[in-house]
Amino acid sequence: MTSAADDDDSRLFRDAIGPVRPLRESTPPPGAPKPRPRARMAELDDAAAREEFRHALESSLLEAGDVLSHRDDRLPARTFQRLRRGEMAIQDELDLHGADVREAQELLRAFIAHARDHGLGCVRVIHGKGLHGTAGPFTSRDAPVLKNLVDRLLRQRADVLAFHSAPPAQGGTGAVLILLAPPARRR
């Protein structure tokens, strides 16, 4: 009896709906987008530039026994000679032993700014000789990391007239004497 009732219901449903036609097949949903094309030549150029930078950096790195030395054109040669011989009074000192690169960079910048703001003329920074250093992020050889950091940062500052490794009695190649421009001469 259920089959006659099912057939009767189906016929009533088809009569109520009317004629039907099959639906078109729908297009499938879009798949995952294709990956963007890679700029392979740009990637190769970047890699080559990083490698060239690393080689240039390695060739200009200071070794443990190398002397730090720089003189701005504004400073007379005679004054620079006095700095080299350690004949200028050290007014303040910063010891970077035990600092990592980021901390040493922040300490050095703050120290130079403090010395400049307080009108100090000659200061000493102890960076160590770098005998126990390890290879840096861009180098494959051991190099005195803090010594090279100090050299690079001091060369970039307009308020530094000159710097030179300290005489042996004042720390030798493990320290640097820095001569700051007087307030009137600062750019």
Side-chain angles (χ1 to χ4, degrees):
M1 181 153 178
T2 57
S3 70
D6 287 341
D7 286 341
D8 199 31
D9 287 341
S10 294
R11 188 177 49 78
L12 283 174
F13 179 76
R14 275 191 242 100
D15 288 344
I17 297 294
V20 292
R21 63 176 200 263
L23 292 174
R24 286 183 282 162
E25 270 194 46
S26 63
T27 58
K34 292 182 180 179
R36 297 185 96 163
R38 286 182 25 215
R40 289 188 187 101
M41 288 306 294
E43 290 173 4
L44 292 173
D45 287 346
D46 287 347
R50 279 192 303 273
E51 188 66 19
E52 188 173 324
F53 175 72
R54 186 179 67 77
H55 286 303
L57 186 61
E58 277 188 357
S59 67
S60 66
L61 285 177
L62 296 165
E63 297 292 332
D66 290 347
V67 172
L68 294 178
S69 185
H70 172 74
R71 179 178 72 93
D72 191 288
D73 294 335
R74 299 175 287 169
L75 184 72
R78 189 174 201 114
T79 307
F80 184 63
Q81 289 299 327
R82 289 186 57 223
L83 178 71
R84 285 183 60 198
R85 290 190 297 258
E87 296 175 353
M88 298 189 158
I90 306 300
Q91 297 170 302
D92 203 355
E93 180 177 272
L94 171 67
D95 190 347
L96 296 175
H97 278 107
D100 64 19
V101 174
R102 180 172 287 138
E103 183 182 9
Q105 187 172 1
E106 290 173 13
L107 287 171
L108 180 60
R109 287 186 176 162
F111 175 72
I112 297 294
H114 176 270
R116 179 195 63 224
D117 293 345
H118 288 83
L120 302 181
C122 187
V123 294
R124 177 175 39 219
V125 173
I126 301 168
H127 49 71
K129 293 186 180 182
L131 298 174
H132 307 289
T134 58
F138 297 108
T139 64
S140 60
R141 64 179 183 160
D142 291 345
V145 176
L146 294 181
K147 183 176 192 170
N148 281 288
L149 171 76
V150 168
D151 181 61
R152 189 184 80 239
L153 285 179
L154 292 179
R155 287 179 189 274
Q156 296 173 353
R157 296 193 62 103
D159 53 0
V160 172
L161 285 176
F163 61 87
H164 195 278
S165 288
Q170 295 182 25
T173 58
V176 63
L177 305 178
I178 305 165
L179 188 61
L180 298 171
R185 291 182 61 183
R186 292 191 179 127
R187 294 189 235 167

